[in-house]
Amino acid sequence: MSSEVRVRFAPSPTGMLHVGGARTALFNWLYARHMGGKFLLRIEDTDRARHVEEAVQVIVDGLRWLGLDWDEGPEVGGDCGPYFQSERGAVYERYLERLQAAGAVYVGEDGATRFRLPRKPLEFGDMVRGRIFVDRGKSTTPSGDPEPDMTIRRADGSWIFHFVNVVDDAEMRVTHVIRGEDHLSNTPKHIELYEALGLPVPRFGHIPLILNRDGSKMSKRDQGASITAYMEQGYVPAAVRNYLCLLGWSPKDDREKMDLAEVVERFDPANINRKAAHFDLDKCNWLNWQYLVAMSVEEFTDASLPWIERAGIAYGSRAALLPVVALIKEKIKQLPEVPGWIDYFFTEDYAYDPEAELKTLAKPGARDRLVQLEAAYQAVEAWDAAALELQLKATAVQQACKPAEFIHPARVAVSGRAVGPSLYHMLEVLGRDRVLARFQKTLERLALRGV
RNA sequence: GACCCUAUCGUCCAGUGGCCUAGGACACUCCCCUUUCACGGGAGUAACACGGGUUCGAAUCCCGUUAGGGUCGCCA
């Protein structure tokens, strides 16, 4: 029991869940699951003023969306709570007393409490980087002065991150601190705090940061930075999770698409890259598409339903939607594209793309071929893709034309656009009545325009 | 400025002294397939930052340089 791995994700509620943070959470979660340990979520809202309910919700929603669950933390509780720093003041007081008893802290003239830095050489093993040695006496400020003692509590009584972070990790019996590389240089200070407190020092693992594609620092507004944005843009959660797994870690073979269970089984922090990763939305999009392709028509339909509804398409019922979605599924790279591909199946009031109209409908002979095809289709017995194809080709032979000369005008006539699914299948799904009516409507439209 | 980390195609990874005339994926280019758009198939462009060592042999080990990142807060 005492050897159980306990890791945590400890974000501060800033109002967004950053991809870097999400990946840190993911790697912690993977390690916990791989080791059969526990994954905790702790909100670092050092004081009441920082505690913003909606900001916490963003984190909770984002993690859940990615498929990460926590064994202890907000909404699930646990033995080491509360899991909000804003509610842990009494704990910090207790630990501060320990530091005072050891003579490790003093109150400055300004009223702030400071921790006396030992400034001794120090070494620790990092799970991803190996041994790290730091001669603490050599650290200076930008102006060249020796590193000043660390403030752990402000004059107003509120606490500073480094102190509460260490105290909470100890109190919550965290065994492995896996966090961003931005904390690597803070680690010696934290170890000094653990030692002054007489607490066991956890293992540390620092994962590289995620940079923009061009190598610049990724800020909140950069493309791809916010998990909420993926949620809103219809990404498949598993795809984003998959992409994040591959950013700095690899299964060591050539696989790209991997399910979670597989990653859990193979995950090893020692194999995390030490180099900062550059975020590449193209690859993320490609993976997302891979997940879309792998879906059944039913799954795909359900996943696109929110976008279809948001677009106000009167699709009637899910049953009516299925055959249409089946038709266009393979064309879609991103879920929000779905409405644009299916709208004309559910309204007779579809728009004609001016360019398509000009290029195919207005072409010499197009009108005549539409008339010929309409006549031929009126006579078709079984209204299915195979029969429609045969009939169209026969008509083409009769008129000494290429099938394409019928296909293109027919597509535009029936959908208003030049691109779409396979014509015959589209006609089948649309049904005889609607197809014939649309031919007729298009012919009238052409007559009106003097074509 | 000091300290710490890092350095393989544009990007993500593989490579842990010989299997590397460096492999896969994304992106890009070209060709084929094709009723449009996609898909698919095939081909291609493209990298070991630089300089010294060590070694019979180095992308792999060591040192230096350069470059990038991080930290040095009464932010987290």
Side-chain angles (χ1 to χ4, degrees):
Chain A
M1 195 60 203
S2 59
S3 63
E4 182 185 64
V5 164
R6 291 173 64 83
V7 296
R8 50 53 167 193
F9 176 52
S12 70
T14 59
M16 90 175 297
L17 179 56
H18 192 271
V19 268
R23 188 182 58 153
T24 301
L26 173 64
F27 283 179
N28 272 284
W29 184 92
L30 285 170
Y31 188 59
R33 294 296 171 258
H34 178 78
M35 300 297 289
K38 296 279 189 287
F39 174 60
L40 336 195
L41 176 62
R42 178 177 75 231
I43 304 298
E44 305 225 326
D45 53 345
T46 44
D47 56 62
R48 206 63 224 171
R50 276 181 201 281
H51 183 91
V52 180
E53 209 54 59
E54 306 81 75
V56 173
Q57 203 56 44
V58 167
I59 292 165
V60 164
D61 291 347
L63 293 177
R64 291 232 167 95
W65 184 76
L66 284 168
L68 307 183
D69 56 339
W70 45 101
D71 304 295
E72 296 176 29
E75 297 187 9
V76 306
D79 298 337
C80 302
Y83 294 89
F84 292 89
Q85 289 186 331
S86 56
E87 298 170 16
R88 299 177 60 79
V91 176
Y92 307 138
E93 295 284 358
R94 230 169 58 227
Y95 279 83
L96 178 61
E97 281 165 26
R98 268 160 85 162
L99 245 23
Q100 284 164 338
V105 291
Y106 60 91
V107 176
E109 290 169 18
D110 48 15
T113 305
R114 291 196 167 75
F115 170 65
R116 261 185 251 283
L117 258 23
R119 299 191 177 82
K120 300 249 175 58
L122 177 154
E123 190 184 47
F124 66 96
D126 189 278
M127 287 190 280
V128 346
R129 282 152 211 279
R131 298 227 72 83
I132 289 170
F133 175 84
V134 189
D135 186 347
R136 298 283 288 133
K138 278 160 65 180
S139 299
T140 71
T141 64
S143 49
D145 302 320
E147 185 180 359
D149 285 332
M150 166 169 58
T151 305
I152 62 172
R153 189 180 205 181
R154 300 183 189 89
D156 68 2
S158 58
W159 304 95
I160 301 296
F161 158 76
H162 301 287
F163 177 69
V164 294
N165 184 267
V166 163
V167 167
D168 284 342
D169 282 341
E171 271 279 302
M172 296 181 181
R173 307 194 309 278
V174 168
T175 57
H176 300 255
V177 174
I178 299 170
R179 51 174 24 167
E181 190 189 342
D182 49 338
H183 286 301
L184 187 56
S185 299
N186 290 148
T187 302
K189 282 190 288 200
H190 294 181
I191 291 175
E192 287 164 347
L193 228 28
Y194 278 103
E195 288 175 343
L197 249 11
L199 295 165
V201 180
R203 289 269 283 151
F204 290 95
H206 290 93
I207 64 183
L209 267 19
I210 300 179
L211 272 27
N212 285 315
R213 216 187 138 151
D214 64 4
S216 63
K217 236 179 113 173
M218 202 176 211
S219 73
K220 298 184 195 324
R221 279 168 307 282
D222 283 318
Q223 186 186 50
S226 156
I227 294 300
T228 309
Y230 294 94
M231 299 167 71
E232 288 168 351
Q233 287 162 29
Y235 280 83
V236 180
V240 176
R241 178 234 88 214
N242 197 146
Y243 178 69
L244 258 21
C245 285
L246 260 22
L247 212 51
W249 178 85
S250 106
K252 301 286 179 197
D253 55 28
D254 292 338
R255 268 161 334 136
E256 308 286 339
K257 183 169 180 282
M258 297 183 74
D259 64 52
L260 241 198
E262 232 173 328
V263 181
V264 166
E265 184 176 333
R266 292 165 159 253
F267 186 75
D268 178 358
N271 287 340
I272 295 174
N273 260 122
R274 293 179 290 275
K275 181 178 60 167
H278 294 203
F279 187 86
D280 182 10
L281 194 60
D282 282 337
K283 178 102 178 223
C284 183
N285 287 340
W286 175 79
L287 262 169
N288 185 248
W289 174 64
Q290 291 295 301
Y291 277 82
L292 252 22
V293 166
M295 284 183 184
S296 68
V297 173
E298 286 77 11
E299 291 168 330
F300 187 91
T301 301
D302 292 337
S304 30
L305 218 45
W307 278 268
I308 295 172
E309 275 173 357
R310 200 169 303 170
I313 293 172
Y315 61 91
S317 67
R318 183 171 177 275
L321 208 46
L322 285 172
V324 175
V325 171
L327 228 43
I328 55 89
K329 176 174 177 285
E330 61 202 19
K331 312 282 184 188
I332 268 68
K333 288 269 166 65
Q334 303 257 305
L335 252 13
E337 296 166 6
V338 171
W341 282 82
I342 68 166
D343 52 0
Y344 59 85
F345 282 91
F346 301 102
T347 176
E348 295 310 307
D349 189 27
Y350 52 92
Y352 288 79
D353 172 48
E355 201 180 326
E357 200 167 17
L358 196 71
K359 277 189 178 165
T360 77
L361 250 28
K363 257 173 132 177
R367 205 199 101 89
D368 295 337
R369 286 191 285 276
L370 226 38
V371 172
Q372 290 151 5
L373 191 61
E374 188 192 7
Y377 275 177
Q378 243 148 12
V380 162
E381 287 185 18
W383 190 266
D384 60 57
L388 294 168
E389 178 169 3
L390 277 174
Q391 188 58 261
L392 183 143
K393 286 185 171 162
T395 309
V397 170
Q398 258 171 43
Q399 303 299 330
C401 289
K402 287 191 291 191
E405 290 176 274
F406 283 89
I407 290 170
H408 299 304
R411 183 194 305 288
V412 178
V414 112
S415 71
R417 59 193 74 174
V419 302
S422 154
L423 176 73
Y424 313 116
H425 295 90
M426 172 163 68
L427 296 180
E428 177 183 324
V429 170
L430 242 16
R432 186 198 302 264
D433 295 347
R434 284 203 289 172
V435 168
L436 262 21
R438 287 182 185 198
F439 275 12
Q440 202 49 54
K441 172 185 154 186
T442 303
L443 254 12
E444 281 162 19
R445 180 185 171 90
L446 289 177
L448 226 56
R449 303 195 159 200
V451 176

